[in-house]
Short mmCIF file of all heavy atoms in Angstrom, two decimals:
data_model
loop_
_atom_site.label_atom_id
_atom_site.label_comp_id
_atom_site.label_asym_id
_atom_site.label_seq_id
_atom_site.Cartn_x
_atom_site.Cartn_y
_atom_site.Cartn_z
N ALA A 1 -9.30 -31.50 -0.15
CA ALA A 1 -10.22 -31.64 -1.28
C ALA A 1 -10.94 -32.98 -1.20
O ALA A 1 -10.38 -33.98 -0.75
CB ALA A 1 -9.47 -31.54 -2.61
N ASN A 2 -12.19 -32.96 -1.66
CA ASN A 2 -12.98 -34.17 -1.83
C ASN A 2 -13.70 -34.00 -3.16
O ASN A 2 -14.76 -33.39 -3.22
CB ASN A 2 -13.96 -34.35 -0.67
CG ASN A 2 -14.75 -35.64 -0.77
OD1 ASN A 2 -14.51 -36.45 -1.66
ND2 ASN A 2 -15.69 -35.82 0.13
N GLY A 3 -13.07 -34.48 -4.22
CA GLY A 3 -13.61 -34.25 -5.56
C GLY A 3 -13.54 -32.77 -5.89
O GLY A 3 -12.47 -32.16 -5.81
N ASP A 4 -14.69 -32.17 -6.23
CA ASP A 4 -14.74 -30.75 -6.57
C ASP A 4 -14.98 -29.86 -5.36
O ASP A 4 -15.12 -28.65 -5.50
CB ASP A 4 -15.84 -30.49 -7.60
CG ASP A 4 -15.49 -31.08 -8.96
OD1 ASP A 4 -14.29 -31.21 -9.27
OD2 ASP A 4 -16.42 -31.42 -9.71
N ALA A 5 -15.06 -30.47 -4.19
CA ALA A 5 -15.30 -29.70 -2.96
C ALA A 5 -13.97 -29.47 -2.24
O ALA A 5 -13.19 -30.41 -2.04
CB ALA A 5 -16.27 -30.43 -2.05
N TRP A 6 -13.71 -28.23 -1.88
CA TRP A 6 -12.50 -27.85 -1.14
C TRP A 6 -12.89 -27.19 0.16
O TRP A 6 -13.83 -26.39 0.20
CB TRP A 6 -11.66 -26.86 -1.97
CG TRP A 6 -10.85 -27.54 -3.01
CD1 TRP A 6 -11.27 -27.97 -4.23
CD2 TRP A 6 -9.47 -27.86 -2.92
NE1 TRP A 6 -10.23 -28.54 -4.91
CE2 TRP A 6 -9.11 -28.47 -4.13
CE3 TRP A 6 -8.49 -27.66 -1.94
CZ2 TRP A 6 -7.81 -28.91 -4.38
CZ3 TRP A 6 -7.20 -28.09 -2.20
CH2 TRP A 6 -6.87 -28.72 -3.41
N ARG A 7 -12.16 -27.51 1.22
CA ARG A 7 -12.35 -26.89 2.52
C ARG A 7 -11.02 -26.28 2.94
O ARG A 7 -10.01 -26.99 3.05
CB ARG A 7 -12.82 -27.91 3.55
CG ARG A 7 -13.05 -27.32 4.93
CD ARG A 7 -13.67 -28.38 5.85
NE ARG A 7 -13.79 -27.96 7.22
CZ ARG A 7 -14.81 -27.28 7.73
NH1 ARG A 7 -15.82 -26.92 6.95
NH2 ARG A 7 -14.84 -26.96 9.01
N ALA A 8 -11.02 -24.98 3.14
CA ALA A 8 -9.82 -24.27 3.56
C ALA A 8 -10.03 -23.69 4.95
O ALA A 8 -11.01 -22.99 5.20
CB ALA A 8 -9.49 -23.15 2.57
N ALA A 9 -9.11 -24.01 5.85
CA ALA A 9 -9.09 -23.39 7.17
C ALA A 9 -8.13 -22.22 7.07
O ALA A 9 -7.00 -22.38 6.60
CB ALA A 9 -8.62 -24.38 8.23
N ALA A 10 -8.58 -21.04 7.48
CA ALA A 10 -7.77 -19.84 7.29
C ALA A 10 -7.75 -18.98 8.54
O ALA A 10 -8.74 -18.90 9.27
CB ALA A 10 -8.32 -19.03 6.12
N ILE A 11 -6.62 -18.34 8.75
CA ILE A 11 -6.48 -17.36 9.81
C ILE A 11 -6.92 -16.03 9.20
O ILE A 11 -6.29 -15.54 8.25
CB ILE A 11 -5.04 -17.29 10.33
CG1 ILE A 11 -4.62 -18.66 10.86
CG2 ILE A 11 -4.90 -16.21 11.40
CD1 ILE A 11 -3.12 -18.81 11.05
N VAL A 12 -8.00 -15.47 9.73
CA VAL A 12 -8.59 -14.26 9.19
C VAL A 12 -8.38 -13.13 10.19
O VAL A 12 -8.77 -13.23 11.35
CB VAL A 12 -10.10 -14.46 8.91
CG1 VAL A 12 -10.72 -13.20 8.34
CG2 VAL A 12 -10.30 -15.64 7.97
N SER A 13 -7.74 -12.07 9.71
CA SER A 13 -7.48 -10.89 10.55
C SER A 13 -8.18 -9.69 9.93
O SER A 13 -8.22 -9.56 8.71
CB SER A 13 -5.98 -10.61 10.61
OG SER A 13 -5.29 -11.72 11.14
N GLY A 14 -8.72 -8.84 10.79
CA GLY A 14 -9.38 -7.65 10.27
C GLY A 14 -10.04 -6.86 11.37
O GLY A 14 -9.73 -7.02 12.56
N ASN A 15 -10.97 -6.04 10.96
CA ASN A 15 -11.66 -5.12 11.85
C ASN A 15 -12.94 -5.79 12.38
O ASN A 15 -14.03 -5.45 11.97
CB ASN A 15 -11.99 -3.83 11.09
CG ASN A 15 -12.63 -2.80 11.98
OD1 ASN A 15 -12.45 -2.81 13.20
ND2 ASN A 15 -13.39 -1.90 11.38
N PHE A 16 -12.77 -6.76 13.28
CA PHE A 16 -13.92 -7.43 13.89
C PHE A 16 -13.50 -7.96 15.26
O PHE A 16 -12.33 -8.25 15.48
CB PHE A 16 -14.47 -8.54 12.99
CG PHE A 16 -13.48 -9.64 12.68
CD1 PHE A 16 -13.37 -10.75 13.51
CD2 PHE A 16 -12.67 -9.55 11.56
CE1 PHE A 16 -12.47 -11.76 13.22
CE2 PHE A 16 -11.76 -10.56 11.27
CZ PHE A 16 -11.67 -11.67 12.10
N PRO A 17 -14.45 -8.08 16.19
CA PRO A 17 -14.14 -8.61 17.51
C PRO A 17 -13.59 -10.04 17.42
O PRO A 17 -14.09 -10.84 16.64
CB PRO A 17 -15.48 -8.61 18.25
CG PRO A 17 -16.33 -7.65 17.50
CD PRO A 17 -15.85 -7.70 16.07
N GLY A 18 -12.54 -10.33 18.17
CA GLY A 18 -11.96 -11.66 18.17
C GLY A 18 -10.91 -11.88 17.10
O GLY A 18 -10.42 -12.99 16.93
N SER A 19 -10.56 -10.83 16.36
CA SER A 19 -9.55 -10.94 15.31
C SER A 19 -8.18 -11.17 15.95
O SER A 19 -7.87 -10.53 16.96
CB SER A 19 -9.51 -9.66 14.48
OG SER A 19 -8.46 -9.71 13.53
N PRO A 20 -7.38 -12.06 15.41
CA PRO A 20 -7.65 -12.96 14.29
C PRO A 20 -8.49 -14.16 14.74
O PRO A 20 -8.49 -14.51 15.91
CB PRO A 20 -6.27 -13.39 13.84
CG PRO A 20 -5.43 -13.33 15.07
CD PRO A 20 -6.00 -12.20 15.90
N ALA A 21 -9.15 -14.76 13.77
CA ALA A 21 -9.99 -15.93 14.03
C ALA A 21 -9.75 -16.96 12.93
O ALA A 21 -9.34 -16.61 11.82
CB ALA A 21 -11.46 -15.54 14.05
N ILE A 22 -10.03 -18.21 13.24
CA ILE A 22 -9.95 -19.25 12.21
C ILE A 22 -11.35 -19.44 11.64
O ILE A 22 -12.31 -19.69 12.38
CB ILE A 22 -9.41 -20.57 12.78
CG1 ILE A 22 -7.96 -20.37 13.23
CG2 ILE A 22 -9.53 -21.69 11.74
CD1 ILE A 22 -7.31 -21.58 13.82
N LEU A 23 -11.46 -19.26 10.34
CA LEU A 23 -12.71 -19.49 9.63
C LEU A 23 -12.50 -20.58 8.59
O LEU A 23 -11.37 -20.80 8.12
CB LEU A 23 -13.19 -18.21 8.94
CG LEU A 23 -13.61 -17.05 9.85
CD1 LEU A 23 -14.06 -15.86 9.01
CD2 LEU A 23 -14.70 -17.47 10.81
N HIS A 24 -13.58 -21.24 8.24
CA HIS A 24 -13.53 -22.27 7.21
C HIS A 24 -14.26 -21.78 5.97
O HIS A 24 -15.38 -21.29 6.05
CB HIS A 24 -14.15 -23.57 7.74
CG HIS A 24 -13.33 -24.18 8.83
ND1 HIS A 24 -13.55 -23.92 10.15
CD2 HIS A 24 -12.25 -24.99 8.77
CE1 HIS A 24 -12.66 -24.56 10.88
NE2 HIS A 24 -11.86 -25.22 10.07
N TYR A 25 -13.59 -21.93 4.85
CA TYR A 25 -14.13 -21.58 3.55
C TYR A 25 -14.40 -22.88 2.82
O TYR A 25 -13.47 -23.64 2.52
CB TYR A 25 -13.11 -20.75 2.76
CG TYR A 25 -12.88 -19.37 3.31
CD1 TYR A 25 -12.15 -19.15 4.47
CD2 TYR A 25 -13.40 -18.25 2.65
CE1 TYR A 25 -11.94 -17.89 4.97
CE2 TYR A 25 -13.18 -16.98 3.14
CZ TYR A 25 -12.46 -16.80 4.30
OH TYR A 25 -12.25 -15.53 4.79
N ASN A 26 -15.67 -23.16 2.54
CA ASN A 26 -16.07 -24.39 1.85
C ASN A 26 -16.48 -24.03 0.43
O ASN A 26 -17.47 -23.31 0.23
CB ASN A 26 -17.22 -25.06 2.59
CG ASN A 26 -16.78 -25.51 3.97
OD1 ASN A 26 -15.97 -26.41 4.09
ND2 ASN A 26 -17.29 -24.87 5.00
N PHE A 27 -15.71 -24.51 -0.53
CA PHE A 27 -15.93 -24.21 -1.94
C PHE A 27 -16.41 -25.44 -2.68
O PHE A 27 -16.00 -26.56 -2.37
CB PHE A 27 -14.61 -23.80 -2.61
CG PHE A 27 -13.99 -22.54 -2.12
CD1 PHE A 27 -13.08 -22.54 -1.07
CD2 PHE A 27 -14.30 -21.32 -2.73
CE1 PHE A 27 -12.48 -21.38 -0.63
CE2 PHE A 27 -13.70 -20.15 -2.29
CZ PHE A 27 -12.79 -20.17 -1.24
N VAL A 28 -17.24 -25.22 -3.70
CA VAL A 28 -17.55 -26.25 -4.69
C VAL A 28 -17.15 -25.64 -6.03
O VAL A 28 -17.57 -24.52 -6.38
CB VAL A 28 -19.04 -26.63 -4.69
CG1 VAL A 28 -19.33 -27.61 -5.82
CG2 VAL A 28 -19.44 -27.23 -3.34
N LEU A 29 -16.30 -26.37 -6.75
CA LEU A 29 -15.81 -25.90 -8.04
C LEU A 29 -16.47 -26.66 -9.17
O LEU A 29 -16.81 -27.84 -9.03
CB LEU A 29 -14.29 -26.11 -8.13
CG LEU A 29 -13.44 -25.47 -7.05
CD1 LEU A 29 -11.98 -25.80 -7.27
CD2 LEU A 29 -13.66 -23.97 -7.00
N THR A 30 -16.65 -25.98 -10.28
CA THR A 30 -17.03 -26.61 -11.54
C THR A 30 -16.00 -26.16 -12.55
O THR A 30 -15.96 -24.98 -12.92
CB THR A 30 -18.45 -26.20 -11.98
OG1 THR A 30 -19.37 -26.61 -10.98
CG2 THR A 30 -18.81 -26.86 -13.30
N GLY A 31 -15.12 -27.07 -12.94
CA GLY A 31 -14.03 -26.71 -13.82
C GLY A 31 -13.15 -25.69 -13.14
O GLY A 31 -12.67 -25.91 -12.03
N ASP A 32 -12.98 -24.54 -13.78
CA ASP A 32 -12.10 -23.49 -13.26
C ASP A 32 -12.92 -22.35 -12.64
O ASP A 32 -12.47 -21.21 -12.65
CB ASP A 32 -11.21 -22.97 -14.39
CG ASP A 32 -9.87 -22.45 -13.88
OD1 ASP A 32 -9.45 -22.88 -12.79
OD2 ASP A 32 -9.26 -21.62 -14.57
N GLN A 33 -14.12 -22.67 -12.14
CA GLN A 33 -14.96 -21.63 -11.55
C GLN A 33 -15.52 -22.07 -10.19
O GLN A 33 -15.74 -23.26 -9.96
CB GLN A 33 -16.14 -21.30 -12.47
CG GLN A 33 -15.72 -20.64 -13.76
CD GLN A 33 -16.93 -20.17 -14.54
OE1 GLN A 33 -17.88 -20.91 -14.72
NE2 GLN A 33 -16.89 -18.93 -14.99
N ILE A 34 -15.74 -21.09 -9.35
CA ILE A 34 -16.36 -21.33 -8.04
C ILE A 34 -17.88 -21.30 -8.24
O ILE A 34 -18.42 -20.30 -8.70
CB ILE A 34 -15.94 -20.26 -7.01
CG1 ILE A 34 -14.44 -20.31 -6.77
CG2 ILE A 34 -16.71 -20.44 -5.70
CD1 ILE A 34 -13.89 -19.13 -5.98
N GLU A 35 -18.52 -22.41 -7.91
CA GLU A 35 -20.00 -22.49 -7.98
C GLU A 35 -20.64 -22.13 -6.65
O GLU A 35 -21.73 -21.61 -6.61
CB GLU A 35 -20.43 -23.92 -8.37
CG GLU A 35 -20.25 -24.26 -9.81
CD GLU A 35 -21.13 -23.44 -10.74
OE1 GLU A 35 -22.28 -23.10 -10.36
OE2 GLU A 35 -20.66 -23.13 -11.83
N LYS A 36 -19.93 -22.47 -5.56
CA LYS A 36 -20.50 -22.26 -4.23
C LYS A 36 -19.39 -21.97 -3.24
O LYS A 36 -18.33 -22.58 -3.29
CB LYS A 36 -21.27 -23.51 -3.80
CG LYS A 36 -21.95 -23.40 -2.46
CD LYS A 36 -22.71 -24.70 -2.15
CE LYS A 36 -23.34 -24.61 -0.78
NZ LYS A 36 -23.94 -25.89 -0.40
N LEU A 37 -19.65 -21.01 -2.35
CA LEU A 37 -18.75 -20.69 -1.26
C LEU A 37 -19.59 -20.52 0.00
O LEU A 37 -20.57 -19.78 -0.01
CB LEU A 37 -17.97 -19.41 -1.54
CG LEU A 37 -17.21 -18.79 -0.35
CD1 LEU A 37 -16.19 -19.75 0.24
CD2 LEU A 37 -16.54 -17.49 -0.78
N GLU A 38 -19.19 -21.23 1.04
CA GLU A 38 -19.83 -21.09 2.33
C GLU A 38 -18.75 -20.80 3.36
O GLU A 38 -17.74 -21.51 3.42
CB GLU A 38 -20.58 -22.37 2.68
CG GLU A 38 -21.67 -22.17 3.67
CD GLU A 38 -22.61 -23.37 3.75
OE1 GLU A 38 -23.06 -23.86 2.69
OE2 GLU A 38 -22.86 -23.80 4.88
N ILE A 39 -18.92 -19.72 4.14
CA ILE A 39 -17.92 -19.30 5.10
C ILE A 39 -18.50 -19.43 6.50
O ILE A 39 -19.63 -19.00 6.75
CB ILE A 39 -17.49 -17.84 4.86
CG1 ILE A 39 -16.96 -17.66 3.44
CG2 ILE A 39 -16.43 -17.41 5.89
CD1 ILE A 39 -16.74 -16.22 3.02
#
């Protein structure tokens, strides 16, 4: 976390070439809500 910004590295498995893969989920929170998500 950096203030209201969170970066999560995740192992993502599913129906896609290269599964599983590590993806990054970049969130910006305002209070108890997600304002922005970039994957």
Side-chain angles (χ1 to χ4, degrees):
N2 183 5
D4 290 333
W6 280 80
R7 180 174 174 86
I11 301 165
V12 180
S13 301
N15 184 24
F16 60 89
S19 175
I22 295 179
L23 294 180
H24 293 93
Y25 291 74
N26 296 292
F27 295 90
V28 175
L29 304 179
T30 299
D32 209 24
Q33 293 188 312
I34 298 169
E35 284 295 325
K36 182 179 177 186
L37 167 59
E38 203 166 311
I39 303 170

